[in-house]
Structure formats: C-alpha cells, structure tokens
Amino acid sequence: MTAERFDPATADSRWQRIWDERQCFRADDASTKPRSFVLEMFPYPSGRIHIGHVRNYTMGDVLARYKRMRGYEVLHPMGWDAFGMPAENAAMEKGVHPGGWTRDNIANMKAQLKRLGFALDWSRELATCEPEYYGHEQSLFLDLYAAGLVYRKESAVNWDPVDMTVLANEQVIDGRGWRSGALVEKRKLSQWFLRITDFADELLEGLSSLDTWPEKVRLMQENWIGKSQGLRAKFHFVDSEDGIEVFTTRPDTLFGASFVAIAADHPFAQGMAANLPELAAFIAECKRGGTTAAELETADKLGFNTGYTVEHPLKKSRHLPVYVANFVLMDYGTGAVFGCPAHDQRDLDFARKYDLPVTRVVAEGDDTASRFDGDEAYSGPGRIVNSEWLDGMTIAEAKAAVIARAQHDGWGTAETQYRLRDWGVSRQRYWGTPIPFIHCEICGIVPVPKKQLPVVLPEDVSFDVPGNPLLRHPTWKHVDCPQCGKPATRETDTLDTFVDSSWYFLRFASQPADRPFDPEEIKRWLPVEQYIGGIEHAILHLLYARFWTRALARIGKIDVKEPFASLFTQGMVTHETYSRIDSANGQPVFFSPQEVERGGEAATLKVDGAPVEIGRVIKMSKSKKNVVDPDEIVATYGADAIRWFMLSDSPPERDLPWSEAGIEGCARFVQRQWRLFGQYDAHASGEDKALDRKRDQTVHAVAQDIESLGFNKAVARIYELTSATEKAAPSASRSAAIKALLLLVAPMMPHLAEEAFARFGEGLAAEALWPAVDPALLVDDEVTVAVQVKGKLRDTLTVAKGMPKDELEKLALASDKVQRAIDGAEVKKVIVVPDRLVNIVA
C-alpha cells in the first residue's frame, strides 16, 4: 500500500499546497454549524518564529483541527502585533524604515508558519501596523472619547530615557524599562488615558465567571486591581486644623502607630522642598529609585524627617513625626500612610533604621507585651492588645469600631480604594497608531472627524536622533483645525501597542471595510472558545483586553463582556546552555547547540574540540544562544516530528526540555506509524473484541484529552493503541484500529495522515470526521482481579465483570500459583471483594 518510508520533504509541501488551494481552513460566516473560535496570542514580527511559538501554535492547531473533525465551523486565524519599539531600534541601527523591516519579517515568519502545516485561516490575516487596521482603532478610540472613557491630563509618568517614551506601571520591571532595560525616571507630561478605573469592580467581579482560566492568572488580576476597604483619616498638625490625610486598610492597628510617612511627590513634601535643598535632593534620589509598589517593597527604606509632627487621632497627647519616605506612592490612597511597625514589615524596617517606637497591638497567644523585639513583623490573626478600649476585640471588630469612632468624631470616613490606575496610553514614538486628535489654539483639543480617518503615519521620517520623529516632521503635524479652519497641529503621541492587541480578536471575527466590525458577526463568534498564550501576559494584555471588551459593550458597540471563555497558559521550551569563560575579561561566552558536540556527560566545541561547560536547562534565549531553529528541525525531520515533540512527555502547562534524542524519537515514531498504516487491509476478516474495545476507549479518551488540552495524555494513549495494534493478529478489527489511529493522529501529524489517508480514496484527512465509537465498548465487561495469599499478591484473574463470589473463590483456589503458595496448608478463610480482590488466609 505504501512506500517503505514516509518522506516529509515532499509530502509536507504537497499537502500544504492542497490545503491552500482548497481553502480547507477558511471559516464560513454563513455556516449553520456550531462555532468554535480557537486563538493563540498573535506574535510580534521580530523576524523569526522561535521554538516557543511552535509549541503554542501546535497546541491551538490540534484543537482547531479536532474541532473541525467534530463538525464545528472553526475560526482559527493568524495576524501580527506589528507596532512597537524594536522596529524603530532597527531603523536607528540598520538605517531601514520600520515599515519595511516589519513587513519583511512578517513575510519570513508567515512562510515559517506555513511550513509547519498549521490549519490557519489566512484570509483574515491582519497586521496592526496597517492603516486598514489602525484606522478602525482610531475610530473606536474616538467613540470611547465621546463616551467619556478617554481623557488627557498632566501626569507623573514613567519615562524611559533610552527609548525616550512613557511606560505604563506594568511595563516597568525592577525599576527598568521592559524593553530597553534603562533605569526609569519620573516626569510630568500631558498624557492620554483610558478610564479603566471605571471598570474596576466589573473586572473584579467578572473574574468569578472565568472558571476555565488558570487560578494563578485570576489571582494576579485580582491583586493588580487591588480592591481594599479601609479608613481615610486626618492626622492634624499639632495645634492646627491643617494636617495630613492618610488612607489605611488596618485601622485596627492605629494604637501601634509611631510615624506618618508621605510620598516624595506629595504636595506637602513638594512645598517644603522649594525652601529646603536637603529635602529636594532626597526627593530627587527617590525619583531615581523604583516606581512600582513591588519594587519599593524590596528597596532599602529611606526617609527624611520633616521636623513636623501630627496628633494621634485617638490620643491627642501622642505626637507622631512626619517623614518623606521612598516607599510611599502618591498614586495609591492619599499618598500618605501611618506606620505601625510591629505589624507591617515595611514599617518595621523603617522604624528600626530610624530608631522609632515599635508597639505590639495584635497578639495571637499569651505574648501581649507592648514591647516588640523581633525583626519580622507579625501580620497574622489575633486579638487586639495594648489599645485601650479596643483590647480583646478581633481584628475585624476593631476595624469596624475605629471607623465608626472616626466617622462619629469627624476625623475620618470609610473608603474603598483600588491599586488599579487609569491606563496611560500615550507613547512618544513613531511606530504606533497616531492618536486622532488636533490641538488648536482657539478650539482646544479637537477630535479628528471620522471621515478623515485613518490618520496615516508619514513614510518620510528619519531616526538620526533619539526621540519621536513625528514631533520634528516638517509637514505631517501641521493641519487646519476641523472646527475653525485655523492652523493647528496634530497630536504627535501614538498609542501604546497594548491598545492594538486589546481588540484584534474582534477584527478577526468580523472585517467589514467601512467599520471596525459587524456586531452581529461578533455575537456569532465571540467569546473566543479557547485562548492560548504565556502567563507573562496575565496582567498587561489580558486585563486590557477584558477592559476594552467591556468598554465597547458599555457604549453599545458589542454584546459581549468577556473576550476569552477559556484561557490556557502554556509552559516554555527550555534547553541547557553551553559556555566557556573568556580569559580576556572573565565573562562567559555562550555557544549554540549547533556549535557543540555532546557526548555522555561532557560537551566539546566542534571547531576546536576543547571542552565547554554544560549549564542549567533554562528558557531559550538569544543571549544564551540555547535556541533551536525550527526551520532546521523541519528540514531535517519534517513538520510532523516537531509537532509531535511539542505534544509529548511534558504536560502542556509545564516547561518542555528540548533534546536531540527526543526529536529523533519522534521522527522514528512518524515512520513507525507510516509502516503500521501501510498494513491496513480493507479485505481483512475476523474479530478481535479486546482490540475493538481498546480502539473505542482510546478514541473516546483522546477526544477528552484534546478538549482539556491534555495533549501529553493523548499522545501516551496513542502510543498504547499503536503497540496493541502492532501486536494483534490480522483481522478486520486490526484494520479498523489502524484507520482509527490514522484519524487520531490527523490533528497532530496532519501531513503523515493525509499521505496515508489518500490511499483510502475518501477525500482529505483534514475534512474527515472524528472516529465514531460504540458506547457499549466504552464499558469494560471484563475485570482483572488480584489474588492474594496471606496478604501477598500471587496471581491475577481476568474474569467477567460481576462474577459471583463463589465462582471467583473457586477460580482463585484452582490457580496453580495459589496452590504453590498455599503448599498444602489449611485454608481458614477466603475474602472476596467482587471485581477487585480475592484474599486467601491459609
């Protein structure tokens, strides 16, 4: 029936061409079938598909092909998250235009994806850098502006001095820009914002409906939104009506307060700094430090004593010093806190540094002494102590009591605060979506009329100096005001690229030329049934996409509130590193796997035969050179082998170590399947009930595994059925098992499946249905019963399910192995557990 070996070099490209010609994977909007929208996070066109992409897209592809086999109309599109700084960096470094660089990369990566045989609907391909996409984004942005969800104001921002652009808090990692790695500075600039805080409660409550999202992702979003209920209280300056307003979530610890701390950019601190050079210098130092709460938690706690004191609101005779502190953020609460060192680690570190009192006010055991000597703050449960009228209360009772007292006496109110801040979307760069507004000296800020959209980026820009080329372009920014007709200027900031990825899934589902999407088509395709991508996008992309969807729903554009019904976050592909210390500078020099000869526990460099150090298995990265080129793997082993490797061994949510032995084993299995498929005999006769049962149970279980994204389990079951089928005698049952195997692997190894399926003359495997199963065969009618003698396993019996106890006992006692174990001893008792166990006491 078949050639001796499967030849991926010819088969892969042939079937990919046939799929394209027949438009096998083009979604039909007019179809009456049930719908399934399967989507992997679209890539940034960096120039090459890496092995992590292959794993991500293979998982989605298997699910999409499987859904199609189950009778669904499947939408499985691909596009490009194409705006961003790397293109501008390439323009500066290589003298190329960002657009040309990006589009060349898209062409390269698209060719790579096609070589892997992914079942993608290329008719819906989009790139966010094209006016056909971002013009509609500008239109939606204006709609949100009209609804009051977009505004502009002067704000302290995170400024990346290398990329020369503003970064959102989420884009600052360890005090550095997420792309450039430069230390981030605080500046004040006029910025455009999206009012995401209006949706804080909605976004928080919506998490409870996302029960097929990873718990870790939901928790990360919950913490980022950071809803907290507490007390806004005024600490008056001594003998004054003025004071410092503080927000706290722990009013129960108020009697343990030993200081008040304010942010470096708090108005009181700024006012003092104008006449106090030492404070001005301290504030400048704070600005050079971290900019997010997470970074400030780990930074060394620094403070500046202002010399002012405030009255304790519950005990006027107690006065607390006021510090400017580097760990207080102006954009959370009121920009001021009271410090209770015994019960907050940050406050304790600060108090020890500046020799401030530390008083215990919460205790869980007998240790209720006011003196607190430990170096680790106690933040657990307990009762209130050393707090006068609060003593003996629980934490919850004390919180309520202090808030009630504050409201009664007029020095505080109950308040709910959020960590979430409005999303600053202005970026001072060229390669992004132009923000569609015009600045007029007469009319102020004027939206660009929709009939003038898209506002298209100019092509004639230069990158010979850092900064935004739009700002210095000689003509592009100069326009007439659409309201008064007088000379005006365009907004030169562009949108954060996370705006582009906050709605692209909607455009995949519906692509009319005259508007962003058709709401009726959105209703038919959304939400995305299965979304697949990395956990690193838990806050940035996923939270923004949820917000954007809810915002469009609020203004009546769509009737969907959550974009992704189910989310899966896949693990990374990892590889060991190879390095050698450079004698000149003492730094490690890394080598790629292709440069290294691996033998046993050692490795040598091919070029000189000298040893290299084998490092840990870590995430693949260009800097460590532990990367594998998918094109080389496909050229050597074929697309199906690399796809099979991505699905095997490791659970998909865990990291997958790459190995040459692993990919070689997958290539061997491809050939093993090919040989087995070649043994199909349409004229075979005879029945093998055990194999029939094994076949249908495997088909049923593999379907469940694919639907739950348990691909490694599905692979293991296919291995088992393959072995059972190979060992079985020729029969009609064996041929049926072979054909079932072919269809089971069709979503995973589609080229191999097509090549074998073509011999059946039944069309394309890509259009075949999933194998049907007999429900009766899913229930085992035989069971394996363990037979023990004096508690030790001596034999097993395969018997009819539900066999009576007396028959089981007779069979067990008749066993030769059991008789040898008894060795003539008297049988005192036989314990029978139907369908499971016979235990003989002799």
Side-chain angles (χ1 to χ4, degrees):
M1 170 183 165
T2 57
E4 184 177 344
R5 290 184 62 79
F6 172 68
D7 181 13
T10 57
D12 288 5
S13 59
R14 180 171 66 253
W15 291 110
Q16 289 161 15
R17 185 180 65 253
I18 291 171
W19 294 331
D20 281 350
E21 289 171 353
R22 300 192 188 181
Q23 297 188 344
C24 290
F25 311 123
R26 185 166 186 156
D28 181 4
D29 285 324
S31 173
T32 57
K33 296 177 183 177
R35 294 174 183 239
S36 177
F37 188 174
V38 177
L39 185 63
E40 305 88 41
M41 294 179 186
F42 65 166
Y44 178 79
S46 59
R48 303 290 295 171
I49 289 293
H50 59 69
I51 210 77
H53 288 130
V54 178
R55 191 182 194 202
N56 187 8
Y57 301 141
T58 298
M59 292 178 186
D61 195 63
V62 171
L63 182 62
R65 285 177 176 272
Y66 164 80
K67 285 285 188 179
R68 192 171 280 107
M69 294 178 78
R70 297 309 293 256
Y72 285 82
E73 188 64 40
V74 175
L75 174 56
H76 185 216
M78 178 55 66
W80 312 96
D81 192 7
F83 273 139
M85 277 304 299
E88 291 196 24
N89 292 339
M92 288 183 277
E93 295 165 10
K94 302 174 184 178
V96 297
H97 191 280
W101 182 85
T102 299
R103 293 178 184 102
D104 286 346
N105 288 348
I106 287 173
N108 292 335
M109 294 172 72
K110 182 176 180 178
Q112 284 186 287
L113 290 175
K114 287 201 164 192
R115 283 193 286 273
L116 287 157
F118 294 134
L120 294 164
D121 181 355
W122 287 106
S123 73
R124 299 185 187 232
E125 179 185 12
L126 58 81
T128 60
C129 65
E130 302 298 349
E132 295 79 14
Y133 181 84
Y134 69 70
H136 294 303
E137 182 168 297
Q138 291 168 340
S139 176
L140 292 173
F141 194 75
L142 292 176
D143 290 336
L144 295 176
Y145 175 78
L149 297 177
V150 172
Y151 64 95
R152 190 171 187 262
K153 70 168 185 177
E154 188 176 74
S155 170
V157 297
N158 304 308
W159 178 259
D160 187 317
V162 172
D163 283 345
M164 296 189 71
T165 189
V166 170
L167 302 176
N169 284 340
E170 300 92 326
Q171 294 168 320
V172 179
I173 301 170
D174 297 330
R176 296 178 180 271
W178 74 305
R179 286 197 187 279
S180 72
L183 284 170
V184 169
E185 302 170 0
K186 282 283 188 182
R187 289 191 181 181
K188 282 209 165 184
L189 292 175
S190 290
Q191 298 287 293
W192 290 94
F193 289 85
L194 281 164
R195 214 178 289 276
I196 190 173
T197 53
D198 273 19
F199 295 78
D201 280 324
E202 272 191 52
L203 291 167
L204 200 56
E205 291 162 7
L207 291 172
S208 62
S209 69
L210 301 176
D211 52 5
T212 53
W213 280 41
E215 179 61 28
K216 183 178 180 181
V217 173
R218 290 190 291 172
L219 184 60
M220 290 169 75
Q221 289 205 6
E222 182 181 330
N223 290 339
W224 187 258
I225 295 168
K227 183 176 184 178
S228 53
Q229 295 173 313
L231 171 70
R232 177 189 282 259
K234 190 163 189 178
F235 286 64
H236 291 278
F237 292 121
V238 177
D239 298 324
S240 171
E241 288 300 310
D242 295 328
I244 303 290
E245 279 201 335
V246 165
F247 175 76
T248 177
T249 60
R250 293 297 305 271
D252 55 300
T253 64
L254 199 50
F255 277 102
S258 62
F259 64 93
V260 166
I262 62 176
D265 45 355
H266 191 283
F268 183 70
Q270 293 290 315
M272 286 191 66
N275 301 306
L276 198 58
E278 300 92 337
L279 178 55
F282 176 78
I283 290 172
E285 183 181 355
C286 291
K287 288 184 177 180
R288 289 191 292 271
T291 58
T292 67
E295 292 152 7
L296 296 179
E297 285 293 325
T298 57
D300 188 28
K301 307 301 180 288
L302 302 175
F304 184 95
N305 193 335
T306 65
Y308 281 82
T309 58
V310 290
E311 296 174 343
H312 192 293
L314 290 173
K315 203 173 181 66
K316 302 290 187 186
S317 60
R318 278 183 61 190
H319 297 166
L320 308 176
V322 177
Y323 283 81
V324 179
N326 70 333
F327 58 84
V328 183
L329 288 170
M330 190 62 212
D331 61 358
Y332 179 75
T334 62
V337 300
F338 77 79
C340 178
H343 306 292
D344 183 286
Q345 191 61 46
R346 174 196 60 186
D347 296 346
L348 181 61
D349 294 342
F350 189 82
R352 296 295 189 217
K353 186 179 184 75
Y354 294 102
D355 197 26
L356 298 169
V358 181
T359 303
R360 184 196 319 273
V361 291
V362 179
E364 191 182 22
D366 298 329
D367 190 0
T368 61
S370 62
R371 181 185 175 92
F372 187 93
D373 295 319
D375 292 324
E376 188 173 325
Y378 178 71
S379 57
R383 295 265 173 185
I384 305 301
V385 297
N386 305 310
S387 299
E388 300 184 4
W389 51 277
L390 294 177
D391 284 355
M393 291 185 184
T394 65
I395 291 173
E397 290 168 344
K399 284 182 178 181
V402 172
I403 291 173
R405 174 70 66 91
Q407 293 186 142
H408 179 270
D409 293 350
W411 52 267
T413 57
E415 189 170 289
T416 299
Q417 286 275 352
Y418 298 87
R419 181 173 181 254
L420 182 69
R421 289 292 169 263
D422 280 342
W423 177 11
V425 294
S426 293
R427 298 295 178 266
Q428 292 66 43
R429 56 173 173 247
Y430 164 75
W431 196 234
T433 297
I435 296 177
F437 285 89
I438 291 168
H439 298 276
C440 175
E441 289 186 1
I442 298 171
C443 305
I445 296 174
V446 181
V448 173
K450 285 200 175 185
K451 64 183 180 182
Q452 295 180 15
L453 298 180
V455 177
V456 178
L457 290 169
E459 291 289 324
D460 55 332
V461 289
S462 65
F463 296 87
D464 49 351
V465 295
N468 184 358
L470 296 177
L471 195 59
R472 57 179 184 271
H473 193 280
T475 60
W476 180 83
K477 68 179 181 180
H478 299 294
V479 293
D480 291 336
C481 173
Q483 286 187 4
C484 70
K486 301 292 185 183
T489 57
R490 290 193 187 280
E491 172 63 66
T492 57
D493 284 358
T494 54
L495 288 173
D496 181 3
T497 55
F498 281 103
V499 174
D500 308 334
S501 58
S502 292
W503 73 283
Y504 78 108
F505 42 88
L506 300 173
R507 187 67 181 168
F508 272 146
S510 176
Q511 299 183 337
D514 62 341
R515 52 202 161 134
F517 42 73
D518 180 337
E520 290 303 312
E521 290 180 352
I522 296 299
K523 189 184 297 185
R524 288 194 287 269
W525 282 115
L526 268 288
V528 173
E529 182 180 6
Q530 183 64 64
Y531 199 39
I532 302 174
I535 187 90
E536 66 272 18
H537 298 291
I539 294 171
L540 290 170
H541 163 56
L542 290 169
L543 184 62
Y544 291 158
R546 293 185 61 225
F547 155 67
W548 193 270
T549 303
R550 286 179 175 271
L552 293 179
R554 181 180 290 186
I555 65 174
K557 291 291 180 181
I558 56 176
D559 192 24
V560 179
K561 290 189 175 179
E562 289 292 346
F564 314 120
S566 184
L567 172 71
F568 185 82
T569 55
Q570 86 284 351
M572 298 179 294
V573 183
T574 59
H575 198 295
E576 62 192 10
T577 59
Y578 309 107
S579 64
R580 176 186 293 173
I581 298 299
D582 188 330
S583 57
N585 58 23
Q587 297 299 311
V589 177
F590 290 93
F591 304 98
S592 70
Q594 293 76 27
E595 298 174 282
V596 171
E597 190 73 50
R598 192 77 159 80
E601 298 299 314
T604 56
L605 198 61
K606 290 178 182 177
V607 69
D608 60 13
V612 295
E613 182 180 344
I614 301 172
R616 295 184 300 113
V617 175
I618 60 172
K619 176 186 177 182
M620 289 189 182
S621 71
K622 291 179 182 177
S623 64
K624 299 291 191 296
K625 289 192 173 181
N626 62 333
V627 295
V628 176
D629 184 354
D631 278 1
E632 292 181 10
I633 301 301
V634 171
T636 304
Y637 301 104
D640 290 339
I642 192 172
R643 290 169 64 108
W644 190 253
F645 181 91
M646 291 300 154
L647 304 168
S648 304
D649 298 333
S650 293
E653 69 275 11
R654 296 184 189 171
D655 291 349
L656 174 66
W658 178 268
S659 72
E660 284 297 318
I663 188 63
E664 288 169 1
C666 290
R668 286 194 299 272
F669 185 70
V670 170
Q671 298 301 334
R672 180 181 167 190
Q673 289 286 82
W674 178 248
R675 289 191 297 272
L676 181 59
F677 296 159
Q679 296 169 22
Y680 177 83
D681 181 0
H683 305 293
S685 60
E687 187 178 32
D688 184 334
K689 289 184 177 180
L691 187 58
D692 287 342
R693 179 172 290 105
K694 180 72 172 175
R695 177 199 68 219
D696 278 21
Q697 289 180 345
T698 301
V699 169
H700 179 70
V702 167
Q704 290 182 317
D705 292 335
I706 292 176
E707 288 174 6
S708 64
L709 306 187
F711 302 112
N712 61 313
K713 296 177 183 177
V715 164
R717 296 185 206 280
I718 289 170
Y719 275 123
E720 289 179 10
L721 182 58
T722 298
S723 296
T725 305
E726 287 171 331
K727 294 172 185 176
S731 66
S733 295
R734 187 175 190 268
S735 288
I738 290 172
K739 189 170 183 180
L741 270 169
L742 191 159
L743 294 171
L744 290 185
V745 302
M748 306 173 187
M749 298 192 285
H751 309 89
L752 171 70
E754 292 288 10
E755 194 79 353
F757 197 70
R759 305 297 178 125
F760 297 142
E762 299 177 13
L764 294 176
E767 296 172 344
L769 294 177
W770 190 252
V773 297
D774 181 352
L777 294 179
L778 301 181
V779 180
D780 284 316
D781 57 9
E782 290 184 334
V783 293
T784 300
V785 176
V787 182
Q788 296 178 342
V789 177
K790 292 188 286 188
K792 291 185 178 180
L793 181 67
R794 297 301 184 183
D795 200 0
T796 57
L797 303 172
T798 300
V799 301
K801 191 172 184 179
M803 178 175 281
K805 287 186 177 183
D806 57 338
E807 291 185 30
L808 266 179
E809 182 177 330
K810 289 176 185 177
L811 282 175
L813 292 171
S815 163
D816 290 339
K817 293 178 182 178
V818 169
Q819 288 301 318
R820 285 197 297 272
I822 294 174
D823 195 24
E826 179 187 355
V827 175
K828 293 185 175 181
K829 190 177 184 181
V830 179
I831 302 169
V832 178
V833 180
D835 295 339
R836 291 181 59 194
L837 174 71
V838 178
N839 188 20
I840 299 167
V841 182

